[in-house]
Amino acid sequence: MATTRSAHTVWEGNLLEGNGVVSFDSSGAIDPQPVTWASRSQEANGKTSPEELIAAAHSSCFSMAFSHALAGAGTPATKLVASADVTFQPGEGITGIHLSVEGTVPGLDEEGFVAAAEQAKVNCPVSQALKAVPITLSAKLA
């Protein structure tokens, strides 16, 4: 069964001096969040950015894909801690994404862990959607 998730942004003003509020319509799980050009291209200062939202989506999707792959191979993870760093360069756009994962996986060695992480990176639906951007990975057992 297909699912659709929705969010919307209300933006006021021009790019450099304006501001917006991102709302998470499908779940309401996150309070509406402020967003500005400065929070995107300089310091966050308590506001989010499209890149931070992509990082959240990518780290959670990758974690699910990796967990599923490990369990399917008979080596379920006890714990995975994954992060995504999305780099934005004004004038160029998103120039790269780096995924990092550390995990506790009984019965799996470092080489197997790294290989499984690489496969999860490639097969994660968010990675698939972001194929136009270079995606790198660091993976290690805890």
Side-chain angles (χ1 to χ4, degrees), residues 42-64:
Q42 299 167 29
E43 293 298 319
N45 292 321
K47 298 172 179 70
T48 194
S49 69
E51 291 72 28
E52 183 177 39
L53 299 171
I54 290 169
H58 206 171
S59 68
S60 61
C61 182
F62 170 75
S63 294
M64 287 186 234

PDB file of all heavy atoms in Angstrom, residues 42-64:
ATOM      1  N   GLN A  42      24.095  30.084   6.611  1.00  0.00           N
ATOM      2  CA  GLN A  42      25.054  30.518   7.637  1.00  0.00           C
ATOM      3  C   GLN A  42      24.865  29.652   8.877  1.00  0.00           C
ATOM      4  O   GLN A  42      24.898  28.443   8.769  1.00  0.00           O
ATOM      5  CB  GLN A  42      24.840  32.006   7.932  1.00  0.00           C
ATOM      6  CG  GLN A  42      25.062  32.895   6.713  1.00  0.00           C
ATOM      7  CD  GLN A  42      24.536  34.306   6.932  1.00  0.00           C
ATOM      8  OE1 GLN A  42      24.492  34.806   8.045  1.00  0.00           O
ATOM      9  NE2 GLN A  42      24.125  34.948   5.849  1.00  0.00           N
ATOM     10  N   GLU A  43      24.658  30.269  10.016  1.00  0.00           N
ATOM     11  CA  GLU A  43      24.432  29.528  11.259  1.00  0.00           C
ATOM     12  C   GLU A  43      22.951  29.214  11.429  1.00  0.00           C
ATOM     13  O   GLU A  43      22.101  30.016  11.042  1.00  0.00           O
ATOM     14  CB  GLU A  43      24.929  30.335  12.457  1.00  0.00           C
ATOM     15  CG  GLU A  43      26.435  30.516  12.475  1.00  0.00           C
ATOM     16  CD  GLU A  43      27.181  29.198  12.590  1.00  0.00           C
ATOM     17  OE1 GLU A  43      26.756  28.317  13.371  1.00  0.00           O
ATOM     18  OE2 GLU A  43      28.190  29.044  11.880  1.00  0.00           O
ATOM     19  N   ALA A  44      22.648  28.084  12.056  1.00  0.00           N
ATOM     20  CA  ALA A  44      21.256  27.668  12.234  1.00  0.00           C
ATOM     21  C   ALA A  44      20.489  28.599  13.175  1.00  0.00           C
ATOM     22  O   ALA A  44      19.324  28.906  12.928  1.00  0.00           O
ATOM     23  CB  ALA A  44      21.195  26.234  12.762  1.00  0.00           C
ATOM     24  N   ASN A  45      21.113  29.029  14.261  1.00  0.00           N
ATOM     25  CA  ASN A  45      20.483  29.937  15.218  1.00  0.00           C
ATOM     26  C   ASN A  45      19.060  29.525  15.600  1.00  0.00           C
ATOM     27  O   ASN A  45      18.143  30.345  15.632  1.00  0.00           O
ATOM     28  CB  ASN A  45      20.498  31.375  14.690  1.00  0.00           C
ATOM     29  CG  ASN A  45      21.905  31.935  14.626  1.00  0.00           C
ATOM     30  OD1 ASN A  45      22.706  31.676  15.526  1.00  0.00           O
ATOM     31  ND2 ASN A  45      22.219  32.672  13.588  1.00  0.00           N
ATOM     32  N   GLY A  46      18.878  28.235  15.861  1.00  0.00           N
ATOM     33  CA  GLY A  46      17.584  27.750  16.332  1.00  0.00           C
ATOM     34  C   GLY A  46      16.529  27.561  15.255  1.00  0.00           C
ATOM     35  O   GLY A  46      15.375  27.305  15.563  1.00  0.00           O
ATOM     36  N   LYS A  47      16.923  27.711  14.001  1.00  0.00           N
ATOM     37  CA  LYS A  47      15.986  27.528  12.889  1.00  0.00           C
ATOM     38  C   LYS A  47      16.462  26.348  12.044  1.00  0.00           C
ATOM     39  O   LYS A  47      17.628  26.015  12.015  1.00  0.00           O
ATOM     40  CB  LYS A  47      15.908  28.793  12.046  1.00  0.00           C
ATOM     41  CG  LYS A  47      15.376  29.994  12.832  1.00  0.00           C
ATOM     42  CD  LYS A  47      15.485  31.272  12.031  1.00  0.00           C
ATOM     43  CE  LYS A  47      14.953  32.457  12.777  1.00  0.00           C
ATOM     44  NZ  LYS A  47      15.801  32.853  13.905  1.00  0.00           N
ATOM     45  N   THR A  48      15.548  25.735  11.312  1.00  0.00           N
ATOM     46  CA  THR A  48      15.909  24.583  10.494  1.00  0.00           C
ATOM     47  C   THR A  48      16.226  25.013   9.064  1.00  0.00           C
ATOM     48  O   THR A  48      16.236  26.203   8.742  1.00  0.00           O
ATOM     49  CB  THR A  48      14.799  23.506  10.533  1.00  0.00           C
ATOM     50  OG1 THR A  48      15.338  22.285  10.008  1.00  0.00           O
ATOM     51  CG2 THR A  48      13.563  23.927   9.783  1.00  0.00           C
ATOM     52  N   SER A  49      16.496  24.048   8.232  1.00  0.00           N
ATOM     53  CA  SER A  49      16.772  24.287   6.810  1.00  0.00           C
ATOM     54  C   SER A  49      16.321  23.066   6.017  1.00  0.00           C
ATOM     55  O   SER A  49      16.163  21.980   6.585  1.00  0.00           O
ATOM     56  CB  SER A  49      18.272  24.511   6.581  1.00  0.00           C
ATOM     57  OG  SER A  49      18.986  23.307   6.798  1.00  0.00           O
ATOM     58  N   PRO A  50      16.138  23.236   4.702  1.00  0.00           N
ATOM     59  CA  PRO A  50      15.811  22.056   3.894  1.00  0.00           C
ATOM     60  C   PRO A  50      16.869  20.953   4.029  1.00  0.00           C
ATOM     61  O   PRO A  50      16.528  19.770   4.065  1.00  0.00           O
ATOM     62  CB  PRO A  50      15.761  22.607   2.464  1.00  0.00           C
ATOM     63  CG  PRO A  50      15.389  24.047   2.644  1.00  0.00           C
ATOM     64  CD  PRO A  50      16.101  24.467   3.907  1.00  0.00           C
ATOM     65  N   GLU A  51      18.119  21.355   4.169  1.00  0.00           N
ATOM     66  CA  GLU A  51      19.191  20.358   4.271  1.00  0.00           C
ATOM     67  C   GLU A  51      19.110  19.579   5.579  1.00  0.00           C
ATOM     68  O   GLU A  51      19.377  18.369   5.614  1.00  0.00           O
ATOM     69  CB  GLU A  51      20.560  21.030   4.108  1.00  0.00           C
ATOM     70  CG  GLU A  51      20.806  21.537   2.705  1.00  0.00           C
ATOM     71  CD  GLU A  51      19.992  22.778   2.315  1.00  0.00           C
ATOM     72  OE1 GLU A  51      19.617  23.593   3.208  1.00  0.00           O
ATOM     73  OE2 GLU A  51      19.707  22.931   1.120  1.00  0.00           O
ATOM     74  N   GLU A  52      18.745  20.246   6.670  1.00  0.00           N
ATOM     75  CA  GLU A  52      18.588  19.539   7.939  1.00  0.00           C
ATOM     76  C   GLU A  52      17.424  18.556   7.850  1.00  0.00           C
ATOM     77  O   GLU A  52      17.490  17.439   8.378  1.00  0.00           O
ATOM     78  CB  GLU A  52      18.368  20.522   9.080  1.00  0.00           C
ATOM     79  CG  GLU A  52      18.282  19.833  10.437  1.00  0.00           C
ATOM     80  CD  GLU A  52      18.141  20.798  11.591  1.00  0.00           C
ATOM     81  OE1 GLU A  52      17.418  21.816  11.458  1.00  0.00           O
ATOM     82  OE2 GLU A  52      18.754  20.524  12.643  1.00  0.00           O
ATOM     83  N   LEU A  53      16.359  18.962   7.187  1.00  0.00           N
ATOM     84  CA  LEU A  53      15.209  18.070   7.011  1.00  0.00           C
ATOM     85  C   LEU A  53      15.588  16.867   6.147  1.00  0.00           C
ATOM     86  O   LEU A  53      15.170  15.736   6.430  1.00  0.00           O
ATOM     87  CB  LEU A  53      14.035  18.835   6.420  1.00  0.00           C
ATOM     88  CG  LEU A  53      13.525  20.002   7.280  1.00  0.00           C
ATOM     89  CD1 LEU A  53      12.509  20.830   6.511  1.00  0.00           C
ATOM     90  CD2 LEU A  53      12.958  19.506   8.595  1.00  0.00           C
ATOM     91  N   ILE A  54      16.391  17.090   5.111  1.00  0.00           N
ATOM     92  CA  ILE A  54      16.875  15.977   4.285  1.00  0.00           C
ATOM     93  C   ILE A  54      17.764  15.054   5.121  1.00  0.00           C
ATOM     94  O   ILE A  54      17.666  13.828   5.030  1.00  0.00           O
ATOM     95  CB  ILE A  54      17.622  16.486   3.040  1.00  0.00           C
ATOM     96  CG1 ILE A  54      16.638  17.139   2.070  1.00  0.00           C
ATOM     97  CG2 ILE A  54      18.407  15.360   2.361  1.00  0.00           C
ATOM     98  CD1 ILE A  54      17.301  17.897   0.931  1.00  0.00           C
ATOM     99  N   ALA A  55      18.624  15.635   5.962  1.00  0.00           N
ATOM    100  CA  ALA A  55      19.497  14.833   6.825  1.00  0.00           C
ATOM    101  C   ALA A  55      18.676  13.949   7.763  1.00  0.00           C
ATOM    102  O   ALA A  55      18.991  12.769   7.958  1.00  0.00           O
ATOM    103  CB  ALA A  55      20.439  15.742   7.617  1.00  0.00           C
ATOM    104  N   ALA A  56      17.621  14.503   8.321  1.00  0.00           N
ATOM    105  CA  ALA A  56      16.758  13.712   9.209  1.00  0.00           C
ATOM    106  C   ALA A  56      16.106  12.568   8.442  1.00  0.00           C
ATOM    107  O   ALA A  56      16.069  11.422   8.915  1.00  0.00           O
ATOM    108  CB  ALA A  56      15.690  14.607   9.843  1.00  0.00           C
ATOM    109  N   ALA A  57      15.593  12.872   7.268  1.00  0.00           N
ATOM    110  CA  ALA A  57      14.954  11.843   6.450  1.00  0.00           C
ATOM    111  C   ALA A  57      15.953  10.761   6.057  1.00  0.00           C
ATOM    112  O   ALA A  57      15.654   9.560   6.120  1.00  0.00           O
ATOM    113  CB  ALA A  57      14.330  12.470   5.205  1.00  0.00           C
ATOM    114  N   HIS A  58      17.145  11.180   5.663  1.00  0.00           N
ATOM    115  CA  HIS A  58      18.128  10.213   5.168  1.00  0.00           C
ATOM    116  C   HIS A  58      18.652   9.325   6.304  1.00  0.00           C
ATOM    117  O   HIS A  58      18.769   8.103   6.146  1.00  0.00           O
ATOM    118  CB  HIS A  58      19.274  10.939   4.472  1.00  0.00           C
ATOM    119  CG  HIS A  58      19.959  10.109   3.452  1.00  0.00           C
ATOM    120  ND1 HIS A  58      20.891  10.629   2.605  1.00  0.00           N
ATOM    121  CD2 HIS A  58      19.873   8.799   3.120  1.00  0.00           C
ATOM    122  CE1 HIS A  58      21.344   9.684   1.806  1.00  0.00           C
ATOM    123  NE2 HIS A  58      20.743   8.562   2.103  1.00  0.00           N
ATOM    124  N   SER A  59      18.968   9.916   7.453  1.00  0.00           N
ATOM    125  CA  SER A  59      19.492   9.090   8.545  1.00  0.00           C
ATOM    126  C   SER A  59      18.458   8.085   9.040  1.00  0.00           C
ATOM    127  O   SER A  59      18.799   6.941   9.351  1.00  0.00           O
ATOM    128  CB  SER A  59      20.002   9.959   9.697  1.00  0.00           C
ATOM    129  OG  SER A  59      18.955  10.638  10.349  1.00  0.00           O
ATOM    130  N   SER A  60      17.192   8.482   9.077  1.00  0.00           N
ATOM    131  CA  SER A  60      16.164   7.540   9.548  1.00  0.00           C
ATOM    132  C   SER A  60      15.888   6.454   8.512  1.00  0.00           C
ATOM    133  O   SER A  60      15.746   5.273   8.859  1.00  0.00           O
ATOM    134  CB  SER A  60      14.886   8.270   9.953  1.00  0.00           C
ATOM    135  OG  SER A  60      14.325   8.976   8.885  1.00  0.00           O
ATOM    136  N   CYS A  61      15.844   6.812   7.242  1.00  0.00           N
ATOM    137  CA  CYS A  61      15.607   5.823   6.187  1.00  0.00           C
ATOM    138  C   CYS A  61      16.768   4.830   6.111  1.00  0.00           C
ATOM    139  O   CYS A  61      16.556   3.618   6.027  1.00  0.00           O
ATOM    140  CB  CYS A  61      15.420   6.542   4.847  1.00  0.00           C
ATOM    141  SG  CYS A  61      15.053   5.429   3.475  1.00  0.00           S
ATOM    142  N   PHE A  62      17.995   5.350   6.154  1.00  0.00           N
ATOM    143  CA  PHE A  62      19.175   4.494   6.115  1.00  0.00           C
ATOM    144  C   PHE A  62      19.162   3.519   7.300  1.00  0.00           C
ATOM    145  O   PHE A  62      19.447   2.330   7.141  1.00  0.00           O
ATOM    146  CB  PHE A  62      20.452   5.335   6.109  1.00  0.00           C
ATOM    147  CG  PHE A  62      21.702   4.533   6.299  1.00  0.00           C
ATOM    148  CD1 PHE A  62      22.208   3.771   5.262  1.00  0.00           C
ATOM    149  CD2 PHE A  62      22.351   4.537   7.517  1.00  0.00           C
ATOM    150  CE1 PHE A  62      23.367   3.010   5.443  1.00  0.00           C
ATOM    151  CE2 PHE A  62      23.509   3.787   7.706  1.00  0.00           C
ATOM    152  CZ  PHE A  62      24.012   3.026   6.667  1.00  0.00           C
ATOM    153  N   SER A  63      18.815   4.006   8.485  1.00  0.00           N
ATOM    154  CA  SER A  63      18.764   3.145   9.673  1.00  0.00           C
ATOM    155  C   SER A  63      17.777   2.004   9.480  1.00  0.00           C
ATOM    156  O   SER A  63      18.057   0.850   9.831  1.00  0.00           O
ATOM    157  CB  SER A  63      18.350   3.958  10.905  1.00  0.00           C
ATOM    158  OG  SER A  63      19.331   4.899  11.225  1.00  0.00           O
ATOM    159  N   MET A  64      16.618   2.314   8.918  1.00  0.00           N
ATOM    160  CA  MET A  64      15.615   1.281   8.671  1.00  0.00           C
ATOM    161  C   MET A  64      16.100   0.273   7.638  1.00  0.00           C
ATOM    162  O   MET A  64      15.957  -0.945   7.830  1.00  0.00           O
ATOM    163  CB  MET A  64      14.308   1.918   8.208  1.00  0.00           C
ATOM    164  CG  MET A  64      13.554   2.635   9.292  1.00  0.00           C
ATOM    165  SD  MET A  64      11.953   3.200   8.668  1.00  0.00           S
ATOM    166  CE  MET A  64      12.055   4.917   9.094  1.00  0.00           C
TER     167      MET A  64
END
